[in-house]
Amino acid sequence: MEQGQDIFRLPLEYVKGVPLIKHFADALGPLQSFQARPDDLLISTYPKSGTTWVCEILDMIYHDGDMEKCQRAPIFIRVPFLEFSVPGLPSGLESLKDTPAPRLLKTHLPLALLPQTLLDQKVKVIYVARNAKDVAVSYYHFYHMARVHPDPGTWDSFLEKFMAGEVSYGPWYQHVQEWWELRNTHPILYLFYEDMKENPKREIWKILKFVGRSLPEETIDRIIQYTSFKEMKENPMANYSTLSRDFMDHEVSAFMRKGITGDWKSTFTVAQNERFDAYYAEKMARSSLKFRAQL
Ligand code: A3P
């Protein structure tokens, strides 16, 4: 698919104070017509926190570990991305039309922009959070390869923007904290990428309990294998390689890039790390949330 160049590298657009990819900002109006169902399950994350991984795990769970069924379509079709919209590609809302219940849905929206119907219908949410330093590095590479983002500039300038919340979806700090607080009033399973790396089986058990399902041990083992970084990297239905190169250029950086915890250490300078830690301490001072930036 040939894409016009004018739809890429556009400046972010602010909606209710939240900077967004322009096309996603445009999708928020039409998204008002979206009706949540009580049996929907929402996967919510700040970008680059393990969204695709958890989506694949949940699709496998919903299909009793049947790998063939999970090959039926790319992950962004199997788990519609609510606010997704890019000219020339099916929007999240369009993908939803063909999605049978019970539906898996994905969003990165902060609460200020989340469709109210999801809260009204008490839709269960699985939130996945990842330590901010690895998110920043992963986001930088993603900005490079996914041209719906503005140009990332140098790593140093991107890190400054990330710290200031001037990247698509706004500040990481606010996102992870507001969804953490929401679990006091809304059914949310709050997971950490680092815990999933450490012990995927333990985290899959948590997911099964939360969604009220059970699976035989051997099926869980199959899911762990099928959703390992190594397998997902090679799986065209999980690795975004079916999209046009104009949109995502895996030669610039693969979507399935490294899949590890602590990669930030090879990117942050000592000075950047000190500055980041000081800012982080200030932003997270009042939060009970604790992250691990290494395992
Ligand atoms: P890196 O860029 O650090 O490698 P999202 O799906 O939210 O966009 O997150 C993408 C990040 O999750 C990328 O991180 C990607 O490599 C990593 N990832 C995707 N699938 C994974 C898996 N099965 N195991 C571990 N990490 C995974």
Side-chain angles (χ1 to χ4, degrees):
M1 182 192 353
E2 273 301 312
Q3 301 269 23
Q5 296 307 304
D6 49 349
I7 65 168
F8 296 121
R9 298 292 184 215
L10 299 175
L12 298 176
E13 196 162 295
Y14 280 73
V15 184
K16 293 191 188 167
V18 182
L20 285 178
I21 290 170
K22 185 190 176 312
H23 308 299
F24 294 11
D26 294 345
L28 294 183
L31 196 55
Q32 296 301 317
S33 68
F34 161 67
Q35 291 290 321
R37 299 171 44 108
D39 61 349
D40 286 340
L41 183 94
L42 180 67
I43 296 152
S44 169
T45 61
Y46 190 83
K48 312 323 290 172
S49 302
T51 330
T52 317
W53 187 10
V54 172
C55 286
E56 194 64 58
I57 289 174
L58 274 151
D59 194 42
M60 277 290 270
I61 289 175
Y62 270 40
H63 291 90
D64 298 318
D66 185 327
M67 296 185 282
E68 240 169 73
K69 287 188 181 155
C70 293
Q71 284 288 320
R72 70 193 181 285
I75 191 67
F76 47 88
I77 303 290
R78 285 180 283 143
V79 182
F81 179 9
L82 289 180
E83 67 272 21
F84 181 82
S85 170
V86 172
L89 292 172
S91 69
L93 269 184
E94 281 161 355
S95 304
L96 262 177
K97 281 191 207 130
D98 301 321
T99 307
R103 306 181 296 188
L104 294 169
L105 312 170
K106 159 184 163 182
T107 190
H108 293 312
L109 290 172
L111 293 181
L113 300 178
L114 191 74
Q116 180 64 30
T117 175
L118 289 158
L119 300 174
D120 293 345
Q121 294 296 324
K122 287 274 169 212
V123 168
K124 282 187 180 176
V125 177
I126 296 187
Y127 187 88
V128 190
R130 186 183 192 186
N131 80 81
K133 291 179 186 176
D134 281 330
V135 168
V137 173
S138 181
Y139 215 175
Y140 175 64
H141 291 286
F142 190 52
Y143 255 62
H144 270 293
M145 68 87 73
R147 293 166 60 232
V148 283
H149 298 98
D151 191 294
T154 62
W155 160 243
D156 197 57
S157 69
F158 182 84
L159 185 60
E160 287 298 319
K161 279 190 227 126
F162 180 86
M163 286 165 63
E166 290 164 8
V167 289
S168 187
Y169 293 103
W172 174 92
Y173 317 91
Q174 189 178 331
H175 206 285
V176 295
Q177 291 186 72
E178 67 184 21
W179 282 91
W180 176 248
E181 296 307 326
L182 187 69
R183 82 201 194 297
N184 296 321
T185 53
H186 194 90
I188 297 184
L189 175 67
Y190 200 102
L191 299 176
F192 295 91
Y193 178 96
E194 294 76 21
D195 293 349
M196 289 170 48
K197 285 296 297 182
E198 185 178 67
N199 189 340
K201 187 174 273 187
R202 180 187 61 205
E203 302 309 302
I204 289 176
W205 275 330
K206 287 185 196 166
I207 294 174
L208 285 169
K209 186 162 176 243
F210 183 69
V211 299
R213 292 180 185 237
S214 64
L215 289 172
E217 181 94 21
E218 64 265 27
T219 307
I220 297 175
D221 288 339
R222 184 160 69 243
I223 294 175
I224 292 170
Q225 173 67 19
Y226 186 78
T227 61
S228 66
F229 179 75
K230 208 164 146 254
E231 295 256 339
M232 281 183 63
K233 192 173 171 63
E234 300 306 322
N235 177 358
M237 293 301 141
N239 66 14
Y240 285 86
S241 62
T242 57
L243 287 172
S244 124
R245 191 171 162 181
D246 288 332
F247 179 51
M248 281 192 187
D249 191 341
H250 296 264
E251 281 184 19
V252 170
S253 177
F255 183 93
M256 297 289 167
R257 198 181 57 89
K258 287 197 179 170
I260 57 172
T261 292
D263 183 43
W264 62 271
K265 289 182 192 169
S266 60
T267 307
F268 278 62
T269 63
V270 172
Q272 284 167 346
N273 194 36
E274 281 171 3
R275 190 168 143 62
F276 192 95
D277 281 348
Y279 193 69
Y280 185 94
E282 194 185 299
K283 287 282 172 192
M284 299 296 280
R286 278 187 296 281
S287 178
S288 55
L289 259 178
K290 295 282 169 269
F291 283 88
R292 292 188 289 167
Q294 56 192 13
L295 289 178

